[in-house]
Amino acid sequence: PSSDCVVAEQLCLSDSTCNATYRTLENCALAKTRLLSLDHDSRVRCLNAELDLGNSSLLHCKCHRRMKRQEHCLRIFWTVHSSMADGYFNLETSPYENPANEEHWKTDYNKLAALVSGKNCSQLAGDATNPCLKATHVCNLSKKCFRLRTDYASICTRGAGSEDVCDQRKCHRGLRNFFEKVPEDFTKRILFCPCQDEFCGERRRKTIVPDCSFQYNTKPNCLWLLDSCLEDHICKSRLADFQQNCQPVDMSPDGCSLHNHAACLQAYMGMIGTPMTPNYVSNSSVEVSLWCTCENSGNQKEKCDQILGMFESNKCL
């Protein structure tokens, strides 16, 4: 069976029985998207349709972060697993292929050294005490990294210093483009550069142009932020991936259920450029948070604190 949801959908649609079951699930997913409340019989019909897929490749298909038809692939995944989207914390399975293993996530410093060698040393002058500045210079040596970083920076700073507000949706798309298309050797060095002083920390905090991508005039409620995320296939998928790979466990020595911090950091990077974009909270620490508050959450305060806590006090992350 194909692990790619786009191919799995094509196979299913060519089979009359699978086709009928899939069409039922599409209607179920559409009702949820439009926030229509399903009666008991409809809920049972939707659940049975999901179960009827049985060993179909659709039930076990996955998507890739860097694939061309990613949004289409994710729509297929959530159509087949629409029952998983019930409630706030029921996104238990990531729609993405297995996360990068530790080996893949080790920076190839030899390759980077070769890239920098032979270049004008003055390009890297003055960045010995600022790893974030050095990471930016290394990015500038790659045409792709430089181009895509310049693209999102120009979109996210448009409107700055005037009464106009930036187009946050376009800014988010530019950020996702950068983190999906540029090799991780570059992106994670820029985002996770180690800092010893506030000048470096300020540069790291401003990597994602927070005035546009992260902040609003006032902090929204975290439950509103979550609702916005669940309405978006990419954000919902990245959140599911984050929950799976950054699940904290108090009893675990490293605080992480999967014991794979590299996969957690990759999942964290995936959240950037979504309605639930996180960022560093100050220039002097590596603490991160969402731009939201749990004030005035009423009887949903506990759920709201959980959402905020996934980032603010997550030992695994």
Side-chain angles (χ1 to χ4, degrees):
S2 171
S3 63
D4 184 328
C5 289
V6 176
V7 177
E9 181 192 47
Q10 291 170 348
L11 290 171
C12 177
L13 295 180
S14 64
D15 176 88
S16 57
T17 306
C18 188
N19 191 324
T21 304
Y22 184 62
R23 296 305 181 194
T24 300
L25 285 172
E26 279 188 318
N27 291 331
C28 298
L30 188 62
K32 289 198 173 189
T33 302
R34 293 177 178 171
L35 302 176
L36 302 175
S37 55
L38 299 174
D39 57 34
H40 176 71
D41 289 347
S42 297
R43 281 177 170 272
V44 170
R45 187 162 60 250
C46 292
L47 199 56
N48 284 341
E50 201 170 308
L51 294 171
D52 284 346
L53 285 178
N55 292 322
S56 162
S57 55
L58 262 177
L59 201 60
H60 308 288
C61 72
K62 294 281 186 178
C63 302
H64 305 274
R65 275 187 193 82
R66 296 175 180 238
M67 69 190 296
K68 285 185 178 178
R69 301 178 69 190
Q70 183 182 166
E71 287 192 55
H72 178 63
C73 185
L74 294 173
R75 182 188 63 75
I76 297 166
F77 179 89
W78 291 114
T79 295
V80 176
H81 298 283
S82 60
S83 65
M84 283 169 49
D86 284 339
Y88 284 113
F89 283 89
N90 209 18
L91 301 175
E92 296 172 352
T93 304
S94 170
Y96 292 108
E97 286 281 5
N98 289 337
N101 57 33
E102 295 284 357
E103 284 302 315
H104 173 71
W105 253 66
K106 285 179 181 173
T107 300
D108 187 345
Y109 287 105
N110 291 330
K111 187 164 68 179
L112 287 168
L115 190 65
V116 175
S117 67
K119 301 289 179 182
N120 186 341
C121 289
S122 64
Q123 282 183 282
L124 302 177
D127 61 16
T129 58
N130 193 334
C132 291
L133 189 59
K134 185 172 184 178
T136 303
H137 283 152
V138 171
C139 170
N140 291 345
L141 298 177
S142 159
K143 285 183 181 178
K144 189 178 215 178
C145 190
F146 176 73
R147 177 173 56 83
L148 291 174
R149 182 174 166 273
T150 303
D151 284 352
Y152 85 71
S154 64
I155 295 167
C156 299
T157 52
R158 208 165 288 156
S162 69
E163 292 180 4
D164 298 330
V165 291
C166 75
D167 189 327
Q168 192 180 67
R169 191 179 290 269
K170 284 185 179 178
C171 175
H172 281 167
R173 195 183 305 132
L175 278 166
R176 290 202 309 272
N177 230 14
F178 176 74
F179 285 107
E180 285 175 15
K181 293 183 178 178
V182 174
E184 287 164 357
D185 271 352
F186 296 106
T187 56
K188 68 177 187 284
R189 283 170 73 97
I190 287 177
L191 193 63
F192 303 126
C193 42
C195 289
Q196 301 296 322
D197 60 58
E198 292 199 9
F199 293 108
C200 178
E202 173 75 351
R203 189 174 189 93
R204 180 174 60 191
R205 192 180 65 81
K206 289 194 169 177
T207 295
I208 65 167
V209 196
D211 286 350
C212 183
S213 70
F214 178 65
Q215 294 169 199
Y216 303 85
N217 290 331
T218 55
K219 282 189 176 183
N221 187 280
C222 298
L223 295 170
W224 177 85
L225 214 61
L226 179 66
D227 286 340
S228 300
C229 182
L230 296 181
E231 290 171 9
D232 178 281
H233 280 130
I234 286 185
C235 188
K236 179 164 66 172
S237 302
R238 302 296 172 84
L239 180 60
D241 195 52
F242 181 79
Q243 284 189 251
Q244 177 178 293
N245 291 300
C246 297
Q247 196 64 247
V249 179
D250 290 335
M251 301 300 288
S252 173
D254 64 355
C256 207
S257 62
L258 293 183
H259 310 295
N260 191 339
H261 292 279
C264 178
L265 288 179
Q266 189 183 42
Y268 170 85
M269 283 172 66
M271 294 300 300
I272 295 171
T274 71
M276 285 183 74
T277 293
N279 195 28
Y280 296 99
V281 295
S282 76
N283 302 339
S284 55
S285 78
V286 289
E287 289 180 23
V288 297
S289 182
L290 297 172
W291 182 259
C292 64
T293 177
C294 284
E295 290 177 17
N296 305 317
S297 296
N299 60 2
Q300 291 190 307
K301 176 100 170 40
E302 192 177 336
K303 284 179 183 173
C304 187
D305 287 338
Q306 253 186 304
I307 297 161
L308 201 51
M310 282 198 303
F311 294 88
E312 284 190 345
S313 54
N314 187 329
K315 289 180 181 178
C316 183
L317 177 63

